[in-house]
Amino acid sequence: MTPLNPYAYGGPEIFQAQKKLLETGTFSDLTIHCGGTVWHVHRAVLAPRCAFFDMVCSGEFAEAESQVVELPEDDPEAVDTMLQYLYTLVVPSLNTSEKARKAFEIADKYDLTNVSVEARRVLLSVFQGIYSPAAGFGVPQATYKPAERLDDYWTWIQQCPGDTTEFREALAKGCATKVSFTTIQEELIKYASENPEFGVLFMRKLEERAMMAEDALIDMYGGHRRLRRHRGLIHDG
């Protein structure tokens, strides 16, 4: 399970010391370059905690001799999240949907289980609450447009590496919960018709909600009849 506080591994002193070591780069013996950002890091910290760095720090690779690792395909913010985790073993705050998505992608690439788990937890909450009042998640509510976010999220899910079944289900469920509102209904039906794969999931979630509502009504009506029968107000037959 992802540790949620610095006391999880060695207490706050160790956490702060490791964090400062990354921030200052004191006694660094490896440099990471990504998108114009440079980190002065330590092989003894990274290699035991990440198979990729263990590999590039070995004598068989050029990086071991040059002491420079180039990550041109990665996002600098995601690399920083990865490094913060590798130094402190605490997943940093993923306080925007964009940061959570980047964290999920880099966790999948470099096999960082705890980062992946936390990013997945955050994203499932975002997708399920896409039409809720607090769904902006880092975006000012005045400029938050769920319809635009829906397309953004669905496009990302389709391109995302790894198993995205939970994400697809969560987004479709989040939309289905608000379909009773006329303005939302129109934009969702339009989007579902333009994106058949989403449309199939969306319709399935609507059917599930309808069945749940029907079961609830049956239970409520049945319970009401049993109560009236118990009080002698109605008789069978």
Side-chain angles (χ1 to χ4, degrees):
M1 184 176 180
T2 305
L4 299 178
N5 60 70
Y7 296 90
Y9 290 95
E13 294 84 5
I14 298 296
F15 174 84
Q16 291 299 334
Q18 290 292 97
K19 187 177 179 182
K20 184 177 180 180
L21 194 61
L22 174 61
E23 291 173 349
T24 63
T26 304
F27 304 121
S28 167
D29 57 3
L30 186 70
T31 304
I32 297 175
H33 294 254
C34 176
T37 304
V38 179
W39 295 265
H40 299 284
V41 296
H42 308 81
R43 288 181 288 184
V45 175
L46 301 182
R49 296 175 176 177
C50 177
F52 169 79
F53 288 109
D54 184 45
M55 178 181 67
V56 299
C57 289
S58 71
E60 301 176 4
F61 292 85
E63 289 86 350
E65 184 175 345
S66 69
Q67 298 184 353
V68 175
V69 177
E70 299 282 353
L71 302 177
E73 298 178 359
D74 295 321
D75 180 89
E77 185 178 28
V79 171
D80 191 63
T81 295
M82 171 175 67
L83 292 176
Q84 286 188 58
Y85 170 72
L86 291 175
Y87 269 78
T88 66
L89 295 181
V90 176
V91 181
S93 175
L94 305 178
N95 55 5
T96 68
S97 59
E98 185 67 19
K99 183 178 287 189
R101 284 185 281 177
K102 290 178 180 179
F104 184 82
E105 290 173 357
I106 205 160
D108 180 79
K109 182 175 181 178
Y110 293 100
D111 195 24
L112 306 174
T113 301
N114 278 358
V115 178
S116 179
V117 169
E118 177 62 7
R120 183 180 292 272
R121 182 192 68 79
V122 171
L123 288 171
L124 286 174
S125 177
V126 170
F127 296 155
Q128 288 176 353
I130 184 171
Y131 278 94
S132 67
F137 200 66
V139 179
Q141 286 196 8
T143 60
Y144 180 71
K145 298 179 181 179
E148 293 179 4
R149 282 283 160 170
L150 171 58
D151 185 59
D152 179 30
Y153 292 156
W154 184 252
T155 300
W156 177 80
I157 288 171
Q158 289 181 304
Q159 299 171 350
C160 184
D163 183 4
T164 59
T165 302
E166 279 188 299
F167 292 156
R168 295 168 187 266
E169 295 279 335
L171 188 58
K173 182 179 180 179
C175 292
T177 58
K178 298 296 182 180
V179 75
S180 58
F181 294 89
T182 304
T183 54
I184 297 176
Q185 186 181 81
E186 292 175 355
E187 65 186 35
L188 283 175
I189 291 175
K190 182 177 183 293
Y191 191 80
S193 65
E194 295 171 349
N195 298 271
E197 188 177 354
F198 171 80
V200 170
L201 276 176
F202 177 59
M203 292 304 295
R204 186 184 302 162
K205 293 302 177 184
L206 287 179
E207 291 174 0
E208 290 175 3
R209 283 182 57 79
M211 291 177 64
M212 289 175 61
E214 183 179 354
D215 290 342
L217 284 173
I218 291 172
D219 290 343
M220 182 174 66
Y221 179 70
H224 182 62
R225 284 185 59 83
R226 286 193 296 273
L227 179 61
R228 286 171 60 83
R229 185 183 300 111
H230 176 71
R231 292 178 177 174
L233 298 177
I234 59 173
H235 304 277
D236 295 326

